[in-house]
Each structure stands twice: as structure tokens, then as C-alpha cells.
Amino acid sequence: MEENKIISVEQEESSIDFGAIFGAMRKHKRLYKKVLAITFVVGCILMLSIPNYYKCEVMLAPELSSSGSRNSLSSLAASFGMKLGTGAVGNEALFPTLYPDLMNSVDFKASLFNIPVHKIDSVPMMSYYDYLVNEQKKPWWSAAIGGSIRFLVSLLPIERDSIDQHKVNPFMLTKQQTDIVELIDKKVVCDVDQKTMAITISVTDQDPLIAATIADSVKVRLQDFITEYRTKKAKIDLEYNRKLYKEAKERYDKARRLYASFADANQDMILQSARTKLIDLENDMQLKYNAYTTVANQLTAAEAKVQEETPSFTTLQSATVPVKKAGPARAKIVLIFLFLAFLGTTARVLHKEGQLKPLLGL
């Protein structure tokens, strides 16, 4: 009996008077209406000031330079989310997991400046750099702050540099070019699936056509860079073999002409010295021919090596102009604002009516 009494007393002490809480809230319902109405209007104004943006994604499956049982074992490990060795497959140093780092480099981003683009609702072409500098829509507060800062800076006695903004030197970018590189870093994102090694390139922009254009251009430039990297050594060997082939052919042609000229001039040869000279010229021509055929075979093998090292990419998802916007989710954000305003108003009302501490158990 005593234990039951103690439990009932504790329950009464710890119980929350929801009636009093709801009564306090109803008492200040005009405050709720005022706060929520103001919050709704302000939230709508803020959200309508934020421009729409669209997102385009491209997916690629790269060819990995691997062979034999090592490839099978690496593929099996990759299916479980693991990688074997040092992170490279076969003799390849530029593994797909490094592609995001490659795209994050200043050189790669600066190479996107001159891509020709045009907005979906206009025909005039412009560079991607000029579009990011002049055609980006901003919220009114951001534009107001930026305009004020530019006005104040213009009043200061600062020497302006005469650097041409259209000349890009990745080693020494201007302030404006650095800002555009940072903006591209937010707009262009590369991600690699650790298991399948599928490459996803996503581009976010205020214009759907430009988002698709840049996504396709980034895909092509990434493919070109990887192809150049994979075939660079083979192309150097090919050029060297072409040089050897040209020199060997010239030597063989020269030896063949000497042999033919000497043989024509000594058709009715009687002297043994002349016969010996002809044999020497024939042997020299044969040696030159053997060297020529050997180098020709090496040249053919070098050409085949370039083709073998050229990677292939399977496009899993091509760039398409997005129809629906990716954001902002204005309705959800306004609802969040209203919920936070409701919580804040409730906390203030309960604190004023002395119901906040019992609700929090204080």
C-alpha cells in the first residue's frame, strides 16, 4: 500500500498539465496569428528572391587497364567495397578514384572558361566565364551587399591592374578568375562509386541548357585527358619508332642506289676487285634492308600499342537538358520557417505564463 501511494504521488508530481499549456496557448492566439503571418510573408519573400537551379548528371564506366587473375581478384574485392594493392589496377597510376581530384585542379577548371554556351531562352553565344560573371541571378540582398561593397571600393584610392580577364594563366589567376574557379567548384562535381568505379559528373546551374552543355563538355574533356595520359608513353615510343623507320629507310635507299649504280657500270666485269666490291655493296644493302624491315615491324607494333592503350568509356547516362528544377524547395523551407516560429512563440508564451519550467521538468 505504501509503495502504491509513493508511486501515485510521484506520478502526480511528474504529470504535465496539458490543459494549462493549451489554455496559455489559446490565450495568446492573436500573437500566434501575427507571428505566423509575418513569418509566412517574410519566408515567401526570401524564397521567391532565390533563383531556380537545375541539375544535369552524366555517368561513365571507364575501362580499367588490368588483366588475368589480378583483375578478377580486384573485381571480387571491389564488389565488397575493398581495394587490393596500392589503389591502382595493373600498371595504371591514374585510378578512377583520383578523377575527382583531377577535376578539382585549377588547370582543369580554368580549361572550362572558354566553353561556348548560350541560355535556353536566348541565341547569342558567350563563354562560360562571361556567363558566370555577367548572367548569374542573385538574391536581392546579395546584390545589394555586393553593390555596396563595389561602390565603397571604387571610392578608395586603389590602383587598378590592367590585366585582361580573358587571358587565363592558371599559375597566376586574377581575383575575379579565382572567384569563378571557386564558383565552378560548387557547380561541377565528380563522384566515383567505390564498388563499380562508375563516374558521375553532376553540374548545377540556373539555366538548364547550360547545365547540360557543361556536363557534356566536362565529360569529353575528362575522357580526352585520360586518353592522353594513358597513351602518352605509347605515343612517345611511336614517334621514336617513326624517326628510326625514316632513318633506316633512307640508309637502305642509299645502299640500294649505290649497289644498282655500281652494278650497271660494271656489267661485263673481269677484275676480281670489282666483283668483290659488288659483293660488299650487296651485303651492305642486305644489312640495311634487314635493319629497315626490323624497324618497320617495330613501327607497326608501336602503332598497335597506341591503339591498345587508348581507353574506352561506356556512357551509362548521357547529358540531357533537365525539365524540372532541382531547387530551391520553397514550400518545404517556408514550412520549416513556420515550424520554428511556432516553437519560438510557444516557448515565449509558456515562459510568460509560467508553464515552461514544468514542461521541461525543471
Side-chain angles (χ1 to χ4, degrees), residues 131-348:
Y131 166 74
L132 294 178
V133 171
N134 303 316
E135 300 294 331
Q136 289 291 285
K137 298 178 181 177
K138 298 180 181 179
W140 58 266
W141 61 86
S142 178
I145 295 174
S148 301
I149 293 176
R150 287 191 296 270
F151 175 74
L152 294 176
V153 171
S154 65
L155 299 178
L156 299 177
I158 302 176
E159 294 184 1
R160 304 294 191 274
D161 53 31
S162 58
I163 299 177
D164 187 358
Q165 296 291 342
H166 290 82
K167 294 182 179 180
V168 182
N169 179 11
F171 181 73
M172 187 174 64
L173 296 175
T174 64
K175 176 62 170 62
Q176 188 181 73
Q177 291 171 350
T178 302
D179 294 339
I180 297 301
V181 166
E182 294 176 354
L183 182 59
I184 293 177
D185 184 46
K186 299 176 182 178
K187 289 180 172 290
V188 181
V189 179
C190 178
D191 186 41
V192 178
D193 191 302
Q194 297 291 334
K195 295 182 179 180
T196 63
M197 293 302 157
I199 307 168
T200 301
I201 300 172
S202 60
V203 177
T204 305
D205 199 88
Q206 296 176 4
D207 188 90
L209 179 58
I210 292 180
T213 302
I214 296 301
D216 187 69
S217 300
V218 169
K219 179 196 72 172
V220 173
R221 288 170 185 260
L222 181 62
Q223 290 176 333
D224 292 343
F225 184 90
I226 302 305
T227 299
E228 177 64 23
Y229 170 81
R230 291 274 296 273
T231 60
K232 184 176 181 180
K233 177 64 168 57
K235 287 181 178 178
I236 292 175
D237 293 342
L238 176 60
E239 289 301 319
Y240 179 69
N241 279 279
R242 283 175 177 168
K243 179 182 177 182
L244 294 181
Y245 173 81
K246 182 179 179 181
E247 293 175 352
K249 189 175 187 304
E250 290 176 351
R251 287 194 295 265
Y252 168 66
D253 289 340
K254 181 179 179 181
R256 183 166 54 84
R257 286 192 298 269
L258 288 174
Y259 172 78
S261 176
F262 188 83
D264 291 342
N266 297 274
Q267 291 183 359
D268 299 325
M269 65 184 69
I270 299 176
L271 297 175
Q272 186 64 33
S273 60
R275 295 178 180 177
T276 303
K277 177 67 173 177
L278 183 63
I279 293 174
D280 290 341
L281 289 175
E282 182 179 4
N283 291 337
D284 183 65
M285 181 184 66
Q286 187 62 41
L287 290 175
K288 297 286 194 306
Y289 176 75
N290 293 338
Y292 167 68
T293 54
T294 300
V295 173
N297 292 333
Q298 291 176 351
L299 177 60
T300 303
E303 291 174 344
K305 184 67 174 177
V306 172
Q307 181 62 33
E308 178 186 351
E309 291 295 329
T310 301
S312 62
F313 294 85
T314 302
T315 302
L316 303 179
Q317 180 177 327
S318 301
T320 56
V321 179
V323 177
K324 296 182 179 180
K325 67 176 184 177
R330 295 187 176 92
K332 293 181 180 179
I333 297 176
V334 170
L335 288 177
I336 293 174
F337 284 168
L338 290 174
F339 178 71
L340 294 176
F342 177 80
L343 289 182
T345 305
T346 301
R348 183 176 181 278

Side-chain angles (χ1 to χ4, degrees), residues 5-20:
K5 290 181 179 179
I6 294 175
I7 293 175
S8 62
V9 171
E10 291 179 351
Q11 290 178 346
E12 291 178 358
E13 292 178 353
S14 62
S15 62
I16 300 174
D17 191 354
F18 289 101

